[in-house]
Amino acid sequence: FDDEEEEEDGGCGGGGVGISNRLEDKMREASPYLWYRSILTSTLASEPVLHCHGLHEWAMQYHPPGSPPPPSAKYQSHLPLRVPRETINKAVERRGIDCTHVDALRFFAPAAGPLNRHGAALVRTDQLRLEQPGCVHAHMDLLKMASRLGPFLDSALLTDALEVALKARRLDVAASPYDASSYGLDPIPVERALGRKEYRIRQAELMEEARHVRERMLGAYETFLALAFEG
């Protein structure tokens, strides 16, 4: 009878193993939420980069003589280029690239990677170090973070995250080398000084709008983590 009881509760120290396993399971479930909370926190605390001029899209189309064709060009094949290839190459080479977004860099043309001041190849953990509040792709990521919380997120915050993401994408494409006029989008010619000035102004305006959404998103994550995992 005693032996059977011992087997049921895991034997000597078995309860501790069970508790440890449950804690590991809980931490595994909490991991993506903790990650996004860390990203939100570090982004809010970082200095903005307001001189990138949206050149990540240009880096995806960078194709200097003798280099392989940019593989990511196929993703925008439905949009014609509004500038010749030589202009794209010159814009990328003028001062290099100042891209801090891990996922954007993954789509750079191979020849463009070495021109990025923050590294030719980044890993996911670099996001904590590099993510900054001026990045349009970081603003788009707010929608992904909102989706992660699903029904636990206030609908007004979800709507605001969607609106910021859409504005960020419109700015992103307007500053790109693509001709999106068929979608009613006027270009921001960042290959010229006047266009770069316009981009910086609109980037700063969007950054401020995104900051309020990011602060509220951080609060939502903190509340969710406290209710779901810290009780």
Side-chain angles (χ1 to χ4, degrees):
F1 179 74
D2 291 342
D3 289 343
E4 289 178 359
E5 272 195 345
E6 190 173 15
E7 287 178 4
E8 288 176 3
D9 67 14
C12 182
V17 172
I19 291 172
S20 176
N21 289 338
R22 286 195 295 273
L23 286 173
E24 288 180 7
D25 290 342
K26 201 170 186 178
M27 286 302 298
R28 187 161 45 247
E29 292 172 2
S31 178
Y33 304 99
L34 292 168
W35 170 253
Y36 279 143
R37 183 178 68 176
S38 297
I39 292 296
L40 288 163
T41 302
S42 62
T43 303
L44 284 166
S46 297
E47 287 294 319
V49 174
L50 297 175
H51 52 266
C52 70
H53 303 127
L55 287 180
H56 51 275
E57 291 287 351
W58 297 68
M60 295 175 193
Q61 289 284 352
Y62 182 60
H63 190 195
S67 68
S72 60
K74 62 184 178 182
Y75 298 118
Q76 307 292 359
S77 58
H78 61 292
L79 288 174
L81 294 174
R82 63 174 181 81
V83 294
R85 184 72 60 183
E86 292 76 13
T87 301
I88 294 174
N89 293 346
K90 286 179 181 178
V92 171
E93 294 166 355
R94 187 180 70 90
R95 291 183 58 188
I97 312 162
D98 212 330
C99 184
T100 58
H101 197 270
V102 172
D103 292 313
L105 187 64
R106 289 192 297 116
F107 295 97
F108 277 24
L115 299 177
N116 187 39
R117 290 184 181 84
H118 301 281
L122 300 175
V123 295
R124 181 57 56 190
T125 50
D126 288 324
Q127 191 172 359
L128 276 174
R129 176 176 59 87
L130 292 176
E131 198 86 313
Q132 45 85 20
C135 177
V136 293
H137 276 273
H139 303 336
M140 294 183 223
D141 286 345
L142 288 169
L143 181 59
K144 180 168 61 177
M145 296 175 185
S147 300
R148 169 64 72 171
L149 286 182
F152 300 99
L153 189 72
D154 177 70
S155 59
L157 181 51
L158 174 60
T159 301
D160 290 344
L162 173 60
E163 184 62 29
V164 163
L166 289 172
K167 288 181 179 180
R169 185 53 177 161
R170 284 195 289 267
L171 178 59
D172 188 31
V173 175
S176 76
Y178 308 112
D179 180 0
S181 58
S182 60
Y183 294 89
L185 199 61
D186 294 328
I188 301 175
V190 296
E191 68 275 17
R192 300 200 294 268
L194 192 62
R196 291 191 290 273
K197 180 179 179 181
E198 180 184 353
Y199 184 88
R200 290 193 298 271
I201 291 171
R202 292 177 59 176
Q203 182 186 21
E205 291 173 348
L206 183 57
M207 178 182 69
E208 185 62 19
E209 184 176 347
R211 180 178 65 83
H212 297 292
V213 175
R214 190 168 282 112
E215 288 172 345
R216 289 159 58 204
M217 192 74 68
L218 176 58
Y221 266 84
E222 288 176 338
T223 299
F224 175 77
L225 283 164
L227 292 174
F229 298 106
E230 295 174 11

